[in-house]
Amino acid sequence: MTRTLSLLGATGSIGASTLDLVRRNRGEWRVVALTANCNVADLAALAKEFAAEIAVVGDEACLPELREALSSSGIEAAGGAQALCEAAARGADLTVAAIVGCAGLAPTMAAVEQGGTIALANKEALVAAGDVLMAAVERHGATLLPTDSEHNAIFQCLQGGKLDQVEKITLTASGGPFREWSAEQLAQATPAQAVKHPNWSMGAKISVDSATMMNKGLEFIEAWHLFPVGLDRLGIVVHPQSVIHSMVEYRDGSTLAQLGPSDMRVPIASCLAWPERMETPCERLDLPKLGQLTFFEPDEARFPATRLAREAAHAGGAAPAVLNAANEVAVAAFLAGKIGFTRIALTVEESLSRSLPPAPATLEEVLAVDSEARVKAAQLLEFA
Ligand code: NDP
């Protein structure tokens, strides 16, 4: 049976992994919408390859180029933030939400409002708008399938029990490329070094988040929304091999863990096939070859981001949205060579220490908190 698929963020790393799996099972899917920001060449090529109904660029200035690239293909072209939401609102059996950053929030919400199934990779949306997004999922009867490897692991481990039987959920963290770097070395870290993740191949923003450990902080907040067991039952352990993707410990002392290769096609396949399983071409684990799996406590002195995320979760209200916005601004400034690596967490901390706006209760209010926090974080950096 053919199912319909929309892929928000088709030209990114998650987009490529998703389309690799779809390509191998071509007959099972009909593609509705594919989106990008401004990577017109790749988006148009993918839209033609997968015979999408519509291709959308988030940046409206790139629409004329997209129209040109798709002329006489019969594929609709659209551009702008509103067009992303309209494409997501066409509805599909499965929508993969893989735009990077809070820019993915409104289109994800538009898909949620259709009440379909959403494979959620975009973590910033859930961090910024956790309460609002989860309430919309409930209200519209949508199904959220966590795609991030850690949350997908927890989701799988929870098939073996119930939330009220959970003693503790432990997110594993690779520790990133700078796990063993001293504070002095971290101060000198460059964007090129930060995006070189030891285990995973990912987009630039999430790679920097992994290097600062903010990625784990964002995941901590995501887990709090996805698996409401209470903040005191959520933990983080550094596990450099990235073989165990996360664990659930039950009241009786049993711990269930999900293991797999460091290949996002595994959790994505679990979402594409859910509630079934599908074949993937991914390398299989060879445990004797791996030899050992090691675990460490996170070092929050060198990597304060997990502490900041925990504090933002405890504070609740607007704090997670402010943390996310300040982090997005600081990571972009770091990638542009404008600030040093350690300034990223400092910017987040300074942003959180200011008086925060009231808790946002609607999508529009979340977006307003996000915009204001971006302006303030940018001001902090200009006066740094
Ligand atoms: P990439 O940077 O590789 O891709 C981002 C995608 O979003 C691209 O299609 C890009 O289009 C599009 N995009 C960027 N900005 C905008 C915008 N303003 N409006 C509309 N579209 C936009 O990111 P990843 O694939 O690595 O990550 C995507 C999301 O998934 C992130 O939230 C990340 O944290 C999360 N994630 C990623 C994992 C990974 O392994 N990569 C693992 C777990 C979660 P264009 O190409 O035109 O710029």
Side-chain angles (χ1 to χ4, degrees):
M1 208 182 70
T2 310
R3 289 196 292 152
T4 52
L5 173 81
S6 283
L7 175 48
L8 313 175
T11 50
S13 163
I14 293 286
S17 295
T18 305
L19 290 175
D20 177 75
L21 294 169
V22 171
R23 197 176 276 121
R24 291 165 196 272
N25 299 276
R26 210 48 204 92
E28 293 177 20
W29 296 100
R30 186 168 65 73
V31 174
V32 178
L34 295 180
T35 80
N37 190 33
C38 194
N39 184 346
V40 168
D42 286 359
L43 179 64
L46 292 170
K48 286 179 191 167
E49 179 188 350
F50 290 94
E53 267 176 33
I54 181 166
V56 188
V57 277
D59 185 344
E60 208 163 353
C62 307
L63 179 57
E65 197 187 333
L66 181 66
R67 282 212 176 103
E68 171 75 27
L70 291 178
S71 63
S72 73
S73 68
I75 300 167
E76 290 172 62
Q82 186 55 32
L84 287 174
C85 294
E86 284 164 11
R90 286 189 176 204
D93 295 322
L94 181 69
T95 300
V96 178
I99 291 175
V100 63
C102 204
L105 173 57
T108 301
M109 191 66 114
V112 165
E113 285 168 358
Q114 302 312 306
T117 302
I118 290 96
L120 183 68
N122 173 275
K123 56 187 70 189
E124 296 87 353
L126 193 52
V127 169
D131 292 337
V132 171
L133 192 60
M134 294 310 284
V137 167
E138 181 79 26
R139 200 166 55 247
H140 296 283
T143 303
L144 216 52
L145 299 177
T147 310
D148 208 341
S149 58
E150 291 76 2
H151 306 89
N152 188 266
I154 296 163
F155 184 76
Q156 294 196 42
C157 294
L158 283 170
Q159 307 303 307
K162 300 194 182 101
L163 265 191
D164 63 5
Q165 300 166 336
V166 170
E167 182 82 27
K168 190 167 186 199
I169 291 178
T170 304
L171 295 156
T172 52
S174 69
F178 304 148
R179 185 173 63 85
E180 296 183 310
W181 286 33
S182 66
E184 294 69 35
Q185 287 173 303
L186 288 176
Q188 305 302 322
T190 66
Q193 290 167 325
V195 297
K196 255 201 198 149
H197 197 278
N199 304 340
W200 299 92
S201 158
M202 310 182 285
K205 196 263 175 179
I206 184 176
S207 297
V208 175
D209 284 343
S210 297
T212 59
M213 295 276 292
M214 182 56 88
N215 184 44
K216 215 46 55 181
L218 299 178
E219 289 175 4
F220 181 88
I221 298 174
E222 278 184 280
W224 171 50
H225 291 293
L226 290 168
F227 315 110
V229 292
L231 285 171
D232 53 340
R233 291 186 194 275
L234 290 176
I236 296 172
V237 67
V238 176
H239 165 47
Q241 295 83 10
S242 299
V243 168
I244 295 182
H245 296 302
S246 280
M247 304 173 241
V248 176
E249 181 187 331
Y250 288 96
R251 235 191 261 149
D252 59 6
S254 289
T255 297
L256 302 192
Q258 188 263 349
L259 285 71
S262 308
D263 187 329
M264 280 308 293
R265 289 176 300 179
V266 175
I268 293 170
S270 132
C271 296
L272 290 180
W274 184 85
E276 304 298 328
R277 297 268 180 185
M278 63 186 276
E279 294 283 330
T280 69
C282 307
E283 207 177 307
R284 272 27 184 180
L285 285 182
D286 182 341
L287 292 177
K289 194 169 155 200
L290 274 163
Q292 10 175 341
L293 302 180
T294 53
F295 305 92
F296 306 92
E297 288 289 348
D299 177 349
E300 293 188 336
R302 282 181 304 140
F303 301 102
T306 49
R307 171 181 60 77
L308 295 172
R310 203 171 47 247
E311 288 171 1
H314 276 286
V322 170
L323 167 127
N324 179 67
N327 184 58
E328 284 197 38
V329 169
V331 170
F334 170 69
L335 282 169
K338 293 182 186 160
I339 61 168
F341 180 75
T342 46
R343 193 87 183 85
I344 300 173
L346 283 176
T347 305
V348 174
E349 181 140 36
E350 285 170 46
S351 297
L352 286 170
S353 69
R354 297 181 157 202
S355 77
L356 298 179
T362 61
L363 173 65
E364 291 67 32
E365 287 174 11
V366 174
L367 294 173
V369 169
D370 175 74
S371 311
E372 190 188 319
R374 280 168 197 270
V375 171
K376 288 190 173 166
Q379 284 168 351
L380 276 173
L381 290 173
E382 271 170 20
F383 299 123

